[in-house]
């Protein structure tokens, strides 16, 4: 299995181009199911999760064409042409790799009035729930049963608009319902909807396809169903989590670099948290310049957007390991999202876990070590720690990084990091 070798201690200097957002692109791709016509997506990142979703759409019978435009390294154009599908089964072998596979359910039900979608991750519904997705679609008139690890859904007369109030905020459930409602009969209102920038990006794409949506980006989204959607082109927004990750990496190494194409207005509370920690952030014409003053311990609690994102919690913890003083990081979105703690501790960090909070006491230095993590953001937090640490760090199981970070080693190396990918 490939790994990354890092010799820490070099401040990051130069420019990093921010890629298209993985968490926007995955849903935009699923939106292609809703129309018979081509959906052209530009600025699609080259990532394993994008390839898995392309494979899933291909298995449904959608035409999938990737093209690499000249100039921008990485960014690619993806043309998805659904035509008329005759397969509405999303297979376990593909969906088990990626929870976002559940996002084909709403579009398939809306357009084809039926779907059979593997439960994501092969996990029981209680432990990795999709209950909000299923409850919401049921409110739009779908009949849903669970059968041999599959969600079997039907709406023989088509979906019908309804008022759906989510008991708590879910990004995926908001997106699934918003897509489904575009072709439902009449008006759907989503209350307590997620407000993440990726939802606004998806709504903008659906609107370009002919959907009638207002309120995306607020907690009340209103969708007036239409009979059909048409061809459209959409450019995927810049990745705010990648942006925050590199900002923290630059600050952690006490570097000075520009994140080209970054959208500071999409970072929500992450900007204030970094500033409170001593990171100097300047908006520049082509993105954001990141520098670091004296790093000081800062408390952070993850919350739905515009709160501090759970997807930056591990990276923030890596940043805080060498700050002066103590920081308390509290995770409120996901259970068990502290996999990076024992690994950071092995590199010399001083961290104590108390339930859903981690108390980090800053140390003067980390030391390199072989480490690994079992999820994407935890893995990249270990890369940040490796960039700061004295000596050699090996981050194993980098397939997690490949799921969400495009050319991570090359982007960091271009800013002076001593990092290389190694086979085996
Ligand atoms: C998306 C992001 C993920 C991010 C998360 C929160 C993608 C592909 N993934 O995940 O990177 O960390 O938002 O910002 O965009 N829940 C339920 N029942 C449901 C749905 C969710 O109980 O039906 C729970 C989840 O277990 C979690 C919380 O709600 O505790 C929030 O999850 P949700 O916002 O749905 O996350 P995802 O859309 O899966």
């Amino acid at each position: 299995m490939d790994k990354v070798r890092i010799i820490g201690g070099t401040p990051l200097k130069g420019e990093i181009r921010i890629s298209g957002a993985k968490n926007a692109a995955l849903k935009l791709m699923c939106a292609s199911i809703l129309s018979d016509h081509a959906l052209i997506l530009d600025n699609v990142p080259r990532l394993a999760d994008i390839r898995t979703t392309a494979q899933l759409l291909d298995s449904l019978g959608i035409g999938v064409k990737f093209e690499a435009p000249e100039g921008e390294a990485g960014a690619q154009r993806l043309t998805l042409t659904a035509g008329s599908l005759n397969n509405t089964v999303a297979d376990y072998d593909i969906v088990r790799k990626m929870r976002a596979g559940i996002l084909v359910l709403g579009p398939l039900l809306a357009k084809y009035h039926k779907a059979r979608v593997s439960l994501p991750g092969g996990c029981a519904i209680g432990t990795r729930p999709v209950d909000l997705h299923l409850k919401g679609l049921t409110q739009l008139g779908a009949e849903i049963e669970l059968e041999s690890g599959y969600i079997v859904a039907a709406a023989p007369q088509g979906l019908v608009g309804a008022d759906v109030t989510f008991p708590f905020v879910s990004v995926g459930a908001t997106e699934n319902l918003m897509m489904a409602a575009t072709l439902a009969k009449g008006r759907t209102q989503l209350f307590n909807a997620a407000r993440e920038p990726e939802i606004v990006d998806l709504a903008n794409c659906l609107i370009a396809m002919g959907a009638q949506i207002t309120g995306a980006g607020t907690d009340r989204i209103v969708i007036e169903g239409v009979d059909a959607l048409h061809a459209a082109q959409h450019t995927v927004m810049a990745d705010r989590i990648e942006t925050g990750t590199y900002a923290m990496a630059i600050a952690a190494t006490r570097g000075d670099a520009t994140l080209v194409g970054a959208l500071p207005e999409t970072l929500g509370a992450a900007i204030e948290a970094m500033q409170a920690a001593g990171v100097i952030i300047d908006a520049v014409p082509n993105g954001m310049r990141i520098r670091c003053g004296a790093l000081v311990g800062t408390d952070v609690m993850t919350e739905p957007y515009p709160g501090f994102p759970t997807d930056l919690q591990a990276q923030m913890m890596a940043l805080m390991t060498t700050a002066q003083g103590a920081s308390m990081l509290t995770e409120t979105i996901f259970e068990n999202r502290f996999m990076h703690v024992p690994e950071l501790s092995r590199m010399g960090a001083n961290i104590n876990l108390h339930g859903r909070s981690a108390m980090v006491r800053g140390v003067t230095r980390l030391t390199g070590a072989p480490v690994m993590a079992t999820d994407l953001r935890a893995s990249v937090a270990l890369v940040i720690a490796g960039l700061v640490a004295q000596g050699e760090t090996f981050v194993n199981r980098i397939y997690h990084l490949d799921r969400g970070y495009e050319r991570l080693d090359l982007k960091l190396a271009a800013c002076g990091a001593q990092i290389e990918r190694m086979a085996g």
Side-chain angles (χ1 to χ4, degrees):
M1 227 173 279
D2 286 6
K3 54 187 166 191
V4 168
R5 175 174 178 262
I6 304 166
I7 311 280
T10 314
L12 295 176
K13 297 225 161 105
E15 286 189 348
I16 298 177
R17 193 189 75 84
I18 299 303
S19 297
K22 169 180 85 83
N23 285 353
L26 297 177
K27 332 306 169 54
L28 293 163
M29 291 171 73
C30 295
S32 68
I33 295 170
L34 290 163
S35 110
D36 288 341
H37 307 283
L39 174 62
I40 298 172
L41 298 175
D42 285 310
N43 200 29
V44 175
R46 280 170 206 263
L47 297 169
D49 277 7
I50 297 291
R51 287 193 295 277
T52 305
T53 306
Q55 202 190 343
L56 175 59
L57 296 177
D58 177 70
S59 77
L60 296 173
I62 293 177
V64 176
K65 191 171 106 193
F66 284 102
E67 290 165 278
E70 280 177 33
E72 300 282 17
Q76 49 190 345
R77 164 172 280 201
L78 173 58
T79 305
L80 297 164
T81 313
S84 219
L85 301 184
N86 42 30
N87 178 27
T88 53
V89 180
D91 206 62
Y92 169 73
D93 275 343
I94 307 177
V95 179
R96 75 182 164 81
K97 294 184 195 162
M98 201 189 47
R99 186 174 157 77
I102 185 75
L103 269 301
V104 299
L105 180 62
L108 284 175
L109 258 177
K111 179 89 188 325
Y112 297 98
H113 304 172
K114 61 176 183 170
R116 192 178 156 88
V117 177
S118 172
L119 279 166
C123 289
I125 204 161
T127 53
R128 283 188 81 178
V130 287
D131 53 326
L132 300 189
H133 300 242
L134 304 190
K135 195 160 169 263
L137 291 168
T138 306
Q139 286 177 268
L140 298 196
E143 288 159 21
I144 298 182
E145 284 176 16
L146 300 182
E147 201 181 284
S148 315
Y150 278 78
I151 300 159
V152 182
Q157 310 304 317
L159 295 174
V160 181
D163 286 358
V164 176
T165 304
F166 297 109
F168 53 89
V169 175
S170 162
V171 175
T174 301
E175 291 165 334
N176 229 343
L177 269 286
M178 183 168 76
M179 288 193 278
T182 59
L183 295 179
K185 284 187 204 84
R187 166 186 286 207
T188 298
Q189 297 191 87
L190 304 178
F191 295 99
N192 199 23
R195 293 179 283 166
E196 268 64 5
E198 291 77 11
I199 289 175
V200 178
D201 206 40
L202 176 60
N204 287 341
C205 176
L206 292 168
I207 291 167
M209 294 167 75
Q212 289 190 20
I213 303 174
T214 53
T218 75
D219 61 3
R220 176 174 167 262
I221 303 177
V222 181
I223 305 115
E224 300 284 349
V226 296
D227 290 339
L229 299 182
H230 50 67
Q233 179 279 339
H234 180 80
T235 301
V236 181
M237 66 177 279
D239 196 317
R240 67 192 168 97
I241 303 300
E242 190 196 27
T243 302
T245 300
Y246 285 125
M248 290 177 197
I250 295 162
T253 61
R254 280 61 171 176
D256 179 352
T258 299
L259 302 175
V260 177
L263 302 171
E265 65 277 15
T266 62
L267 267 87
I271 296 266
E272 289 103 73
M274 285 191 280
Q275 285 171 331
V279 183
I280 302 162
I281 304 173
D282 294 307
V284 291
N286 59 348
M288 280 161 75
R289 179 180 173 198
I290 308 292
R291 285 172 291 158
C292 194
L295 271 183
V296 288
T298 303
D299 294 348
V300 158
M301 185 187 288
T302 64
E303 285 173 328
Y305 190 85
F308 188 92
T310 175
D311 285 352
L312 286 175
Q313 178 257 109
Q315 301 89 315
M316 185 73 187
M317 194 180 299
L319 177 63
M320 290 293 92
T321 56
T322 59
Q324 213 172 40
S327 323
M328 173 86 89
L329 289 95
T330 304
E331 174 59 54
T332 73
I333 309 289
F334 289 105
E335 294 163 27
N336 199 15
R337 208 174 190 184
F338 283 131
M339 322 282 221
H340 40 288
V341 169
E343 299 299 284
L344 289 171
S345 300
R346 292 182 55 243
M347 297 177 75
N350 180 348
I351 307 173
N352 284 297
L353 273 182
H354 304 276
R356 48 181 209 159
S357 294
M359 168 68 83
V360 184
R361 291 186 175 84
V363 293
T364 45
R365 68 187 174 99
L366 299 178
T367 46
V371 287
M372 68 177 166
T374 45
D375 83 60
L376 169 59
R377 309 302 172 184
S379 298
V380 86
L382 299 177
V383 171
I384 295 177
L387 292 170
V388 177
Q390 265 187 0
E392 192 177 52
T393 295
F394 288 98
V395 180
N396 293 297
R397 292 201 188 164
I398 59 168
Y399 59 84
H400 288 297
L401 294 170
D402 292 335
R403 284 188 43 217
Y405 289 93
E406 185 180 78
R407 300 178 304 118
L408 173 92
D409 48 332
L410 301 179
K411 288 189 184 189
L412 289 170
C415 286
Q418 292 189 58
I419 180 168
E420 61 175 332
R421 226 183 144 98
M422 301 171 74

